[in-house]
Amino acid sequence: MSYRLTEAQFFKDIAKHDMIVIRDEGNNRHIRFKQPGTNNAHFDLITWPGHLCYTGDMGTYVFQRVPDMFAFFRTSSVEGGDADTLHINVEYWTEKLIAVDGNRDGGKVKAFVEDKFKRVINEYRVQWMRDAKATGALDKDSRRQLWEAVDDEVLYRLGDGADRAELAAYDFCYNPHPKKEYSWQFEELFEHDFTEFTTSIRWCCYALAWGIKKYDASKVTALPEGAAA
């Protein structure tokens, strides 16, 4: 089973983090978040007009969208949202990426998930069994051979990596009676997505939302008594 980072786990990771302001000049900022005495799960948020760079334990990601990127990632204004919840939008936010640290997940924000691949392949295979039995296209022995062929020619290739397994699925064709027109192939397999956002990029998005909230809160705290926020 694939691991999916939760907001609760993120909050556990940063429970003892302090905020250190290195630079704060309009849209030019360098804000550091870390637990004193350790670099575990530390991260910096660095902005300049139109850009934001997250860099830290989960890699480095550079986003480009609007002049003030804190405004873009600010989640406190989500309509009807819980003020204590980090309303991240990984799908939309990653569309604004212009650079990703290649040392993490091969420079990708999505990674192949073996369980998703197996589930889809088995859905095809089960449907093939039902159709072949209902129509009489394959007898019991041939259905068993088809089932085992998927194991041997496709699922077994997962041991060689995601690319080999996917290629094997696209190339798969079972036809025990070559003179007959029908055969079994993974048609329209390209419509399925076998990837998920990596733990690193999800952690990064939580860090963006949380870090900006901490920064905003510090600005409110710093206002003189009686001043308007």
Side-chain angles (χ1 to χ4, degrees):
M1 298 296 290
S2 58
Y3 169 73
R4 186 178 180 84
L5 178 75
T6 64
E7 183 183 272
Q9 181 59 54
F10 170 77
F11 279 130
K12 184 178 179 181
D13 290 344
I14 51 84
K16 298 181 180 180
H17 276 34
D18 290 336
M19 184 179 81
I20 304 165
V21 178
I22 299 173
R23 185 183 186 190
D24 190 9
E25 302 171 359
N27 291 340
N28 296 288
R29 311 179 184 91
H30 186 174
I31 316 296
R32 177 163 295 160
F33 300 89
K34 68 187 297 289
Q35 180 180 339
T38 177
N39 284 326
N40 182 45
H42 79 286
F43 65 96
D44 289 11
L45 300 182
I46 304 167
T47 65
W48 61 100
H51 300 78
L52 181 147
C53 175
Y54 163 99
T55 186
D57 241 9
M58 296 298 167
T60 298
Y61 305 91
V62 180
F63 301 84
Q64 181 183 49
R65 182 64 174 88
V66 298
D68 181 4
M69 289 299 289
F70 271 23
F72 178 76
F73 291 112
R74 192 168 280 128
T75 64
S76 59
S77 60
V78 175
E79 185 176 354
D82 183 348
D84 295 326
T85 300
L86 301 176
H87 301 278
I88 66 172
N89 189 336
V90 184
E91 185 81 42
Y92 179 57
W93 290 0
T94 54
E95 291 176 1
K96 313 310 174 188
L97 277 168
I98 60 172
V100 177
D101 176 11
N103 292 327
R104 293 263 179 179
D105 301 302
K108 299 178 181 179
V109 296
K110 283 191 166 184
F112 178 83
V113 180
E114 187 173 302
D115 288 345
K116 292 183 73 172
F117 181 78
K118 288 180 178 178
R119 182 171 66 252
V120 170
I121 294 300
N122 277 318
E123 286 172 356
Y124 273 91
R125 180 162 62 170
V126 168
Q127 190 60 51
W128 289 347
M129 296 300 108
R130 291 171 178 168
D131 292 345
K133 183 177 182 179
T135 61
L138 294 176
D139 59 25
K140 184 176 181 179
D141 287 341
S142 294
R143 292 197 302 272
R144 186 185 69 254
Q145 291 171 8
L146 172 56
W147 186 276
E148 293 174 349
V150 173
D151 277 333
D152 295 341
E153 298 179 30
V154 179
L155 296 181
Y156 179 77
R157 299 309 298 272
L158 282 167
D160 299 324
D163 291 343
R164 292 291 183 88
E166 288 189 79
L167 182 61
Y170 284 118
D171 288 345
F172 182 85
C173 181
Y174 179 81
N175 185 356
H177 308 294
K179 293 184 179 181
K180 295 185 178 181
E181 294 182 358
Y182 55 78
S183 61
W184 283 263
Q185 297 172 282
F186 293 101
E187 297 178 353
E188 300 180 347
L189 192 65
F190 63 89
E191 294 184 356
H192 296 274
D193 182 6
F194 303 119
T195 65
E196 287 183 358
F197 286 107
T198 65
T199 297
S200 295
I201 191 61
R202 289 185 61 82
W203 202 98
C204 167
C205 288
Y206 279 125
L208 290 171
W210 178 80
I212 293 169
K213 288 183 73 170
K214 293 287 286 185
Y215 172 83
D216 289 345
S218 74
K219 290 293 188 180
V220 173
T221 302
L223 285 173
E225 186 176 351

